Amino acid sequence: MHVLLVEDDASIASSLSDSLRGAGYDVTHVANGAAAIAADPTDLVLLDLGLPDMDGYDVCRELRATSDVPIIVITARGEELDRVLGLELGADDYVVKPFGFRELVARMRAVSRRARSATPDQGNDANGGAVGETALIEVGPLSIDLRTHRVTLAAAGGAATELRLTPKEFELLCYLAEDAGAVRSRTDIIEHVWDANWFGPTKTVDAHVANLRRKLGDHEWIEAVRGVGFRLEVPAALA
Ligand code: CA
């Protein structure tokens, strides 16, 4: 797979290029928006939004105007995530700096799979799903579609509402839901959801758990097990 990396920070670009090549990708690196738009077509674009010559949003829009190539936007904290999330730009996904390499590769695989499954007769099984992936995790009224990254919660009346989760919230929810009822330790959560090489504060886990609880609408969905970690369970009121 050939990746176009659009990143003006030379040290990020060189370490990311090395990691990507080490993982088997061909990488073309450009350091500004004009070069990104002029570049030959690739299989995927990693696009930093903070570029020296052009607004990264405009680069994204220009690329999208002529191509269906999967685009993953790379943003720094504080940039306008709403515009990215609104998909106003046509980006397929985004990662927020600093991000782990594992997370990035997982997102690259996911957007490539989605791009392939949107094209008939290419790598799909008879049901039109991506090969080798269990598409749905269900825990009571909660349903997580791994292929589309959609999370829905069915209300008592049967109507389902879609939850808008950040990528990290989505991964955390998946990790807990894969083995609902089991306790996941903070260390395991950080390793799986963030990165084995991630050294941030474990408070981040608590902050994401708090956001998920709020979005799930019931604190009881995620139980804190003192001194151990967290477990996902259907709240008594919904069981
Ligand atoms: Ca930049």
Side-chain angles (χ1 to χ4, degrees):
M1 186 195 268
H2 188 180
V3 177
L4 176 66
L5 172 63
V6 188
E7 169 65 79
D8 61 309
D9 182 311
S11 73
I12 293 178
S14 91
S15 73
L16 198 50
S17 297
D18 287 351
S19 300
L20 287 167
R21 291 194 180 104
Y25 294 94
D26 290 328
V27 181
T28 298
H29 168 235
V30 296
N32 61 60
I37 291 166
D40 288 335
T42 55
D43 302 309
L44 191 142
V45 177
L46 296 175
L47 174 64
D48 178 30
L49 287 185
L51 294 170
D53 61 331
M54 288 175 70
D55 187 336
Y57 295 105
D58 293 331
V59 177
C60 190
R61 208 173 280 121
E62 290 271 332
L63 289 172
R64 184 50 82 229
T66 56
S67 157
D68 288 329
V69 66
I71 300 173
I72 298 179
V73 156
I74 301 173
T75 73
R77 263 173 230 285
E79 286 185 280
E80 299 169 73
L81 273 179
D82 286 352
R83 290 174 68 191
V84 182
L85 288 172
L87 298 179
E88 186 187 311
L89 305 172
D92 295 272
D93 206 347
Y94 71 96
V95 291
V96 176
K97 288 176 182 173
F99 53 87
F101 183 65
R102 246 173 57 156
E103 177 195 358
L104 178 67
V105 169
R107 295 199 169 278
M108 289 169 63
R109 289 197 183 124
V111 296
S112 304
R113 263 201 309 267
R114 286 204 293 270
R116 273 201 310 275
S117 61
T119 313
D121 305 319
Q122 220 184 315
N124 287 344
D125 64 21
N127 299 318
V131 174
E133 189 177 13
T134 309
L136 211 61
I137 300 177
E138 285 179 306
V139 183
L142 179 69
S143 168
I144 305 167
D145 190 321
L146 299 175
R147 197 172 66 76
T148 61
H149 276 215
R150 285 220 161 87
V151 178
T152 54
L153 192 56
T161 48
E162 186 171 343
L163 310 187
R164 298 201 44 101
L165 305 183
T166 66
K168 281 296 174 215
E169 288 164 4
F170 180 83
E171 283 180 39
L172 173 59
L173 183 63
C174 286
Y175 184 55
L176 293 171
E178 273 165 14
D179 195 1
V183 182
R184 303 290 208 182
S185 73
R186 273 191 168 69
T187 312
D188 284 346
I189 289 172
I190 287 174
E191 274 192 26
H192 281 84
V193 177
W194 276 266
D195 197 287
N197 304 313
W198 193 83
F199 297 106
T202 56
K203 277 269 177 259
T204 300
V205 175
D206 298 75
H208 280 77
V209 164
N211 286 343
L212 267 182
R213 281 173 171 154
R214 186 171 46 75
K215 291 181 180 180
L216 287 163
D218 190 326
H219 190 266
E220 283 187 29
W221 268 108
I222 302 174
E223 184 193 354
V225 181
R226 211 187 164 83
V228 187
F230 297 96
R231 115 169 96 217
L232 182 84
E233 261 178 340
V234 181
L238 303 176

